[in-house]
Amino acid sequence: MSPDTHGGRAKCLQRLVRMEMPVPTTVALSFEAVHNIAAGDMPDLARLISPFEEGQILCVRPSSQDPDWGGPGAVLNIGMNAERHAHLSNTLGREAADELYFRFIQAYSVHVARLDPDMFDDIDPTDANAVNEALDAYEDEADEAFPQDPKEQLGGVLRSMARAWEGTSARLLRMAKGAPADAGLGLVVQAMVLGLGQGECGSGVLQLVDSVSGTPMIKGRYLSQSQGRDALEAGEKSLFLEKDDRGPSLEDQAPEAFSELIKHAEAMRVRLREEMQVEFTLENGGVHILDGVRVQRSARASVRIAVALAEDGVISRQEALLRVEPRALNELLHRQVDPDADRDVVGSGVAASPGAATGKIVFSAADAQASAARGEAAVLVRRETNPEDIRGMHAAVAVLTERGGITSHAAVIGRGMGLPCVVGASEIRFQARRKQLIAPDGRVFGEGDILTIDGSNGQVLAGQPPMLEAALDESFQKLMSWADENRDIDVRANADTPADALTARNFQAQGIGLCRTEHMFFEEDRLTAMREMIFADESDDRKAALERLLPIQREDFVDLFQIMQGRPVCIRLFDPPLHEFLPSDRTGLRDLAEALNLPLSTVERRVEALSEYNPMLGMRGVRLGIAVPEIYDMQARAIFEATIEASKDGDAVVPEIMIPLVSAKREVELVKTRIDAVAAAVRTEHSDAFEFKLGVMVETPRAALRAEEIAPNCHFFSFGTNDLTQMTYGLSRDDAGRFMSAYVQQGVYAEDPFHTLDTDGVGELVKLGAERGRKERPDLVLSVCGEHGGSPESIAFCRKVGMNYVSCSPFRVPVARLAAAQLAIRDQIGS
Ligand code: PEP
Ligand code: MG
């Protein structure tokens, strides 16, 4: 018997029987048998029930391959009829017999005869005549007497459960949980232990860990005179298991049964190599184990449970690593809405940056900063964010935008900062000028109203639900260290600021794979110098403005090098179009004119002159570096001077300098010549011989195709899969959010390619670029630094292509470390 032929429950029961646990007699029907039953081919029922005692009351439970795929509800008390009722009235008492019969009539009517559940509404189950009334109701509705033959009852139950599994809605439901369309169902026919009658009778569930935290403790409930999972629904009437100040417990009431149950649960944990929930029934004080089910668990509990099982030698460390879903780590790394909390959903969008936070609505970055200054948590609501909003984003606890997709500005920055973020929430109406949001249900939210942004699932919630704090506890750290022992691809972080770098180091990133230097220029003091530089007419004026930026940049880099303590730091030269640094509204333009002491009309003209039809394909990246070379000169000098400074009291820093948006060999040659010249000048001025590495971002299709001629001037290639996806598809990364869900829903794209790397198309370019680059230069270091770098599927691809590392947002580093370890382990064990 295996879970693939008879389902997980049947397999588990077989193991419990082999462990000589007090499991009632059980017969398992295979997927094939159940499939045949659904098609009308009933097995020999007399043979099926032959292992049971004459007159035995039975139950049937579903047994799907993976218990998480669900299945039809269990049907209990099969075999109850007038004769059994009379017999049990004598042995158990009338009340218990009535209850059993009544329950069965009800279950059979609803699940087998498919009658309306409301038909029993007027019957009081505790009434002495309830059974007769139920039988009459059945006869009225079904036009026949309630079946008395236990075999006929059992056949009906089996048929209805088999058919329910094959129905369309059940199929869609389980497919949503990851089951294949043709997943099979097994059924388990078991002798009922009644849980009703004389002596201590009842039922309950028990587990040895808490499902939310994973902490070892005895959890569960017991209810006297009950069946199935009644105890979980009985509220205060049910008992605690262990002695408890809050009320009576099973340990008080039946101490021997209690300690026997604990022993069974502990044995199950070891033999089944898993934390199990034990479903049990007591009959006249005796313990019966009906089932063992894998304990339901939150992500944080799954880490703690896997680590504890490995520490206790129950499973290996590798198996512990395989048992935790990498993406589920997001739940530990950020605050979460308590899974048990009620959610008042206002609307939803793209889950762009995980975690949840609550704050008052503000509609501008300035207001977010003002709120932070008052010590108030603010949710920054914008149509979309742009670089000017960065300081507001830093000040806010969460961001919500109307537009954008998974690689839009708010999403990328949000993930980098670990700021919960929902983007593209277009079902909510954003009325920025009126400072209000209108939910699809018509509710209006204004400035100061409280919202909770759940960036883990894309929901926007009204009010403040209870939260769970991040849990970077010892178990998490242990699991991560085991991951590092197993993986064979490095993981770096994308980090733009010292704060990001600190986060990256805390998550044990092996270096910085991408430092987007432009983000450093948005601080107030730097923005003005930056704007002066942009407005300079002459190269000398430009140089003067850049002189003011030089020491600031140098300090940034010294900080980064020092925080990273000798780990590699890859600094990308200036990338965005210049106009991003200029104000877009009239007040901003006036302020700028004042700051630069220029007439407003001149400022307006210059801003106008810098605007482009298609800035993402315009003068940005290396094109700007060649057209306005002083910018890269200044950055190179800042990097080299910082290198000397940071190498003074530690190991020599070897910075990596990366040129963005390259598409031609000559671009690299031109930039390289100037950078080499700056390096030579700094070496001479400081009498210091530092090393550095120069490489390019491969993010245009042409760079990938011409990799062979670009590679000779490069130590490394880092594939910028955000731009490469944008340019391969001809699909704007800032606008794709508008139609992406329609595209995915209609199957045009299997997934959002900005979210999951398109290994067929974009991947082919990456593969070509990697092969062609390495052909010319076998020691070429290869990596991916686009947003895909942190996703488990992309990491699988990167390993196959022979990349040295992936680089992703700091908060995704643990996810990437675990995913990489799982891939290496699966390769090793060949699964
Ligand atoms: C990229 O294009 O993949 C990339 C990493 O750079 P950016 O997102 O800054 O354009
Ligand atoms: Mg890019």
Side-chain angles (χ1 to χ4, degrees):
M1 197 188 293
S2 94
D4 302 339
T5 57
H6 289 75
R9 172 171 275 142
K11 181 69 208 167
C12 175
L13 284 167
Q14 186 192 42
R15 286 164 139 177
L16 299 185
V17 170
R18 287 189 180 151
M19 287 165 67
E20 297 184 350
M21 292 214 173
V23 177
T25 306
T26 304
V27 173
L29 291 173
S30 68
F31 294 171
E32 197 189 342
V34 174
H35 183 68
N36 291 342
I37 291 172
D41 184 4
M42 191 59 70
D44 179 349
L45 290 173
R47 224 181 110 218
L48 181 67
I49 58 171
S50 61
F52 301 103
E53 277 174 26
E54 181 68 27
Q56 175 66 57
I57 305 294
L58 303 172
C59 66
V60 180
R61 299 164 193 273
S63 177
S64 52
Q65 191 171 351
D66 178 335
D68 289 343
W69 297 346
V75 179
L76 312 184
N77 306 314
I78 303 161
M80 280 305 297
N81 55 16
E83 190 191 333
R84 277 288 95 194
H85 180 253
H87 174 75
L88 292 174
S89 295
N90 286 333
T91 54
L92 298 183
R94 176 69 192 261
E95 223 173 273
D98 273 2
E99 190 171 343
L100 292 169
Y101 201 9
F102 183 79
R103 279 177 175 235
F104 180 56
I105 299 167
Q106 207 173 15
Y108 191 90
S109 303
V110 175
H111 297 296
V112 182
R114 307 266 162 207
L115 302 179
D116 186 350
D118 298 349
M119 65 188 261
F120 298 104
D121 279 0
D122 297 333
I123 307 176
D124 174 3
T126 56
D127 190 282
N129 208 26
V131 167
N132 285 334
E133 286 180 40
L135 287 169
D136 288 347
Y138 182 91
E139 196 160 340
D140 274 356
E141 292 288 324
D143 272 344
E144 59 184 21
F146 189 75
Q148 295 291 308
D149 177 2
K151 286 208 289 297
E152 183 189 341
Q153 294 175 351
L154 178 63
V157 169
L158 294 175
R159 189 179 317 109
S160 80
M161 288 176 79
R163 291 198 172 152
W165 178 256
E166 308 231 332
T168 312
S169 52
R171 189 194 317 262
L172 291 177
L173 206 65
R174 63 180 176 266
M175 282 169 73
K177 293 178 186 159
D182 60 350
L185 176 74
L187 289 175
V188 165
V189 184
Q190 196 174 55
M192 277 290 293
V193 185
L194 298 175
L196 303 179
Q198 269 113 42
E200 184 54 59
C201 289
S203 62
V205 296
L206 176 148
Q207 63 188 50
L208 301 174
V209 290
D210 177 66
S211 285
V212 173
S213 67
T215 317
M217 59 176 77
I218 295 164
K219 295 280 283 196
R221 279 290 203 267
Y222 170 77
L223 182 64
S224 287
Q225 304 295 330
S226 78
Q227 300 189 313
R229 299 192 145 240
D230 290 354
L232 293 176
E233 283 147 26
E236 289 183 355
K237 279 198 283 170
S238 64
L239 303 188
F240 294 101
L241 298 179
E242 204 172 15
K243 281 186 195 298
D244 198 304
D245 293 343
R246 290 169 293 172
S249 70
L250 179 65
E251 191 175 7
D252 299 320
Q253 206 153 309
E256 277 167 26
F258 173 76
S259 62
E260 191 182 335
L261 277 167
I262 300 289
K263 263 204 330 257
H264 289 318
E266 283 168 351
M268 264 195 216
R269 177 177 188 264
V270 174
R271 294 283 294 276
L272 304 185
R273 307 165 67 246
E274 180 54 290
E275 285 294 351
M276 302 296 285
Q277 187 185 60
V278 184
E279 207 172 292
F280 65 92
T281 299
L282 301 190
E283 197 170 69
N284 203 7
V287 171
H288 299 267
I289 305 288
L290 307 188
D291 207 354
V293 199
R294 187 175 167 274
V295 165
Q296 291 284 337
R297 62 200 71 183
S298 69
R300 60 191 70 204
S302 80
V303 170
R304 198 163 185 155
I305 289 171
V307 170
L309 286 170
E311 295 271 86
D312 293 346
V314 177
I315 60 174
S316 69
R317 289 179 176 183
Q318 288 199 336
E319 192 163 350
L321 287 164
L322 291 176
R323 285 193 183 187
V324 178
E325 165 60 32
R327 282 201 176 85
L329 291 181
N330 279 322
E331 248 184 59
L332 280 79
L333 303 174
H334 304 273
R335 293 176 85 211
Q336 294 293 320
V337 175
D338 187 323
D340 295 331
D342 290 333
R343 289 170 169 257
D344 180 0
V345 180
V346 172
S348 62
V350 177
S353 175
T358 304
K360 289 186 177 168
I361 299 176
V362 296
F363 287 90
S364 75
D367 288 344
Q369 287 177 275
S371 296
R374 289 194 302 272
E376 279 175 16
V379 170
L380 177 59
V381 174
R382 304 283 289 155
R383 217 171 265 294
E384 61 200 332
T385 63
N386 57 47
E388 277 179 81
D389 291 320
I390 287 208
R391 276 171 298 142
M393 291 178 75
H394 270 292
V397 296
V399 175
L400 169 66
T401 71
E402 180 183 26
R403 298 197 187 130
I406 201 78
T407 58
S408 62
H409 180 266
V412 172
I413 301 295
R415 280 196 295 278
M417 299 193 318
L419 186 69
C421 179
V422 171
V423 300
S426 51
E427 61 180 44
I428 300 175
R429 271 176 50 211
F430 284 58
Q431 297 188 323
R433 215 170 303 155
R434 288 199 188 155
K435 297 201 167 181
Q436 61 185 28
L437 296 175
I438 305 178
D441 64 7
R443 278 188 288 173
V444 179
F445 295 85
E447 202 171 33
D449 286 345
I450 304 277
L451 281 188
T452 294
I453 302 299
D454 187 342
S456 302
N457 69 2
Q459 285 182 343
V460 180
L461 311 172
Q464 179 162 25
M467 297 274 184
L468 289 184
E469 293 304 321
L472 304 183
D473 55 13
E474 212 186 311
S475 304
F476 169 80
Q477 305 293 5
K478 242 178 220 158
L479 192 80
M480 285 294 109
S481 71
W482 298 345
D484 292 346
E485 285 162 16
N486 279 278
R487 67 190 160 82
D488 52 13
I489 184 166
D490 287 357
V491 178
R492 294 197 195 177
N494 295 350
D496 307 337
T497 60
D500 292 347
L502 263 177
T503 314
R505 204 186 66 196
N506 287 343
F507 288 139
Q508 281 157 42
Q510 288 162 289
I512 292 178
L514 171 64
C515 169
R516 293 173 163 107
T517 48
E518 57 272 15
H519 292 159
M520 297 169 162
F521 295 110
F522 285 103
E523 299 289 326
E524 193 73 61
D525 53 335
R526 307 156 185 223
L527 198 54
T528 313
M530 192 66 193
R531 287 172 170 170
E532 274 177 35
M533 188 276 291
I534 295 169
F535 275 80
D537 283 322
E538 306 289 332
S539 175
D540 281 350
D541 293 343
R542 198 171 294 131
K543 272 197 188 136
L546 285 165
E547 287 283 305
R548 285 176 49 206
L549 288 170
L550 174 69
I552 306 176
Q553 275 264 275
R554 189 170 51 221
E555 277 317 301
D556 289 333
F557 297 139
V558 170
D559 275 356
L560 284 188
F561 294 146
Q562 284 174 342
I563 290 169
M564 293 315 288
Q565 299 172 329
R567 297 182 186 89
V569 177
C570 182
I571 297 165
R572 178 177 77 185
L573 299 174
F574 196 85
D575 183 44
L578 287 179
H579 80 91
E580 281 194 8
F581 292 86
L582 300 176
S584 47
D585 59 4
R586 235 180 133 70
T587 327
L589 289 168
R590 210 172 298 124
D591 289 349
L592 180 57
E594 204 176 87
L596 300 175
N597 198 18
L598 287 171
L600 179 61
S601 57
T602 311
V603 171
E604 279 174 338
R605 221 176 322 110
R606 290 300 298 271
V607 170
E608 177 70 27
L610 278 168
S611 82
E612 293 173 293
Y613 284 108
N614 205 339
M616 288 306 275
L617 298 177
M619 195 160 91
R620 55 170 281 219
V622 66
R623 297 163 196 166
L624 192 60
I626 286 169
V628 191
E630 297 87 349
I631 301 178
Y632 282 8
D633 287 352
M634 179 279 286
Q635 289 197 296
R637 176 170 280 275
I639 293 169
F640 296 140
E641 291 181 353
T643 299
I644 294 172
E645 168 89 27
S647 303
K648 267 188 197 143
D649 3 273
D651 291 340
V653 172
V654 181
E656 299 172 7
I657 300 178
M658 180 151 78
I659 314 170
L661 214 75
V662 164
S663 60
K665 161 185 156 195
R666 185 78 187 128
E667 288 168 331
V668 187
E669 287 170 355
L670 287 173
V671 174
K672 182 174 187 306
T673 308
R674 284 190 81 112
I675 288 182
D676 283 343
V678 176
V682 176
R683 282 188 187 115
T684 315
E685 284 161 30
H686 293 261
S687 312
D688 200 304
F690 54 83
E691 296 292 317
F692 73 98
K693 292 180 177 156
L694 185 74
V696 300
M697 284 197 79
V698 178
E699 53 183 341
T700 66
R702 195 177 188 281
L705 294 168
R706 307 305 295 167
E708 213 169 317
E709 59 190 28
I710 292 173
N713 284 312
C714 299
H715 286 97
F716 61 88
F717 279 179
S718 191
F719 289 86
T721 47
N722 302 334
D723 273 311
L724 194 57
T725 300
Q726 166 164 269
M727 293 190 214
T728 305
Y729 278 86
L731 178 66
S732 160
R733 58 197 264 200
D734 301 302
D735 302 309
R738 281 194 181 182
F739 56 88
M740 190 55 75
S741 60
Y743 252 51
V744 172
Q745 264 162 24
Q746 294 181 50
V748 184
Y749 303 154
E751 311 262 3
D752 177 347
F754 291 109
H755 195 86
T756 305
L757 184 67
D758 159 44
T759 48
D760 299 338
V762 179
E764 183 161 358
L765 276 172
V766 172
K767 201 159 154 273
L768 266 181
E771 279 164 11
R772 292 182 183 176
R774 282 242 172 100
K775 189 165 157 216
E776 185 59 34
R777 192 169 176 150
D779 63 346
L780 190 68
V781 172
L782 297 175
S783 62
V784 161
C785 65
E787 287 305 304
H788 304 93
S791 96
E793 298 79 15
S794 314
I795 297 171
F797 172 82
C798 292
R799 281 180 77 240
K800 273 205 205 117
V801 177
M803 302 254 170
N804 298 80
Y805 68 88
V806 293
S807 189
C808 55
S809 312
F811 282 91
R812 294 173 97 183
V813 165
V815 177
R817 285 161 69 198
L818 178 57
Q822 292 188 347
L823 290 161
I825 295 169
R826 291 213 170 93
D827 269 4
Q828 249 179 51
I829 60 178
S831 80

